[in-house]
């Protein structure tokens, strides 16, 4: 079997220090955006699952509009681009605004559970709507925990997950 040069390329392993630096860059970028928008927020940095994780919290509810899933996704992409410019390679930074990630994970768990009910009722497979790669990874983990199998299909913004019995 022949391989192409792309198949032989090894991604550089990012150290904890690299990931923490990306988190710092992301936090600086987000602080600037919050200042421009005159929105108060406290930032917390972490590394989870080999990804920089930045959480923005506020006790006064001023982040409610920013916690919308589509807005969080857009802010995350902007933040990733800002980090990429500084470090010279793509970043997989994860952004959470006011617990939006936990809320979305619960929505995904509910979606998976409803799909499994369809399978238990006799469907041969259950397709989920298109979602980001991060959300698809969460779905794959949830499906596996429940004893089913899943695969992703489609390209770009149309990429979605299909669940089947194991």
């Amino acid at each position: 079997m022949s391989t192409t040069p792309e198949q032989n390329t090894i991604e550089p392993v990012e150290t904890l220090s690299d990931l923490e630096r990306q988190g710092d860059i992301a936090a600086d970028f987000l602080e600037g955006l919050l200042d421009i928008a005159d929105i108060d927020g406290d930032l917390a940095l972490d590394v989870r699952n080999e990804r920089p994780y930045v959480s923005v919290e506020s006790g006064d509810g001023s982040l409610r509009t920013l916690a919308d899933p589509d807005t969080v996704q857009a802010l995350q992409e902007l933040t990733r681009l800002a980090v990429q410019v500084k470090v010279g390679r793509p970043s997989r930074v994860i952004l959470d605004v006011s617990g939006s990630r936990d809320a979305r994970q619960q929505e995904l768990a509910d979606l998976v559970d409803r799909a499994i009910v369809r399978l238990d009722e006799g469907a041969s497979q259950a397709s989920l709507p298109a979602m980001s790669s991060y959300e698809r990874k969460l779905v794959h983990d949830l499906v596996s925990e429940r004893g089913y199998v899943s695969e992703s299909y489609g390209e770009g913004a149309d990429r979605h997950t299909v669940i089947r019995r194991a």
Side-chain angles (χ1 to χ4, degrees):
M1 171 162 81
S2 65
T3 60
T4 64
E6 294 82 7
Q7 291 172 321
N8 290 328
T9 303
I10 298 174
E11 290 293 317
V13 175
E14 293 183 310
T15 65
L16 180 59
S17 177
D18 292 337
L19 296 172
E20 288 172 340
R21 179 170 178 260
Q22 290 179 34
D24 287 337
I25 294 166
D28 289 344
F29 174 75
L30 289 165
E31 280 180 3
L33 283 179
L34 291 173
D35 286 345
I36 290 168
D38 197 27
I39 298 173
D40 291 325
D42 297 318
L43 282 84
L45 308 177
D46 198 2
V47 173
R48 301 179 187 175
N49 300 320
E50 300 178 2
R51 291 178 179 223
Y53 191 95
V54 180
S55 177
V56 185
E57 298 291 333
S58 174
D60 65 4
S62 61
L63 296 172
R64 190 177 355 227
T65 350
L66 295 180
D68 172 76
D70 291 335
T71 304
V72 172
Q73 184 68 28
L75 284 172
Q76 179 175 279
E77 290 307 315
L78 287 172
T79 304
R80 285 180 173 179
L81 288 171
V83 173
Q84 179 176 340
V85 166
K86 295 276 188 180
V87 299
R89 64 180 178 280
S91 173
R92 300 183 323 146
V93 67
I94 299 297
L95 175 62
D96 182 29
V97 178
S98 294
S100 60
R101 290 285 170 191
D102 290 339
R104 181 61 177 153
Q105 186 158 0
Q106 184 57 54
E107 289 174 8
L108 293 173
D110 293 344
L111 193 63
V112 167
D113 289 340
R114 288 193 305 272
I116 288 173
V117 166
R118 290 195 311 264
L119 294 173
D120 291 343
E121 290 174 346
S124 61
Q125 65 183 29
S127 294
L128 302 182
M131 56 189 70
S132 71
S133 62
Y134 178 75
E135 289 179 336
R136 286 193 313 276
K137 186 209 179 305
L138 294 176
V139 165
H140 290 305
D141 292 346
L142 290 165
V143 168
S144 178
E145 288 170 7
R146 286 159 172 77
Y148 290 78
V149 296
S150 58
E151 293 182 64
S152 292
Y153 294 95
E155 298 294 325
D158 294 325
R159 195 147 174 88
H160 65 282
T161 305
V162 175
I163 303 171
R164 294 184 182 84
R165 285 184 188 78

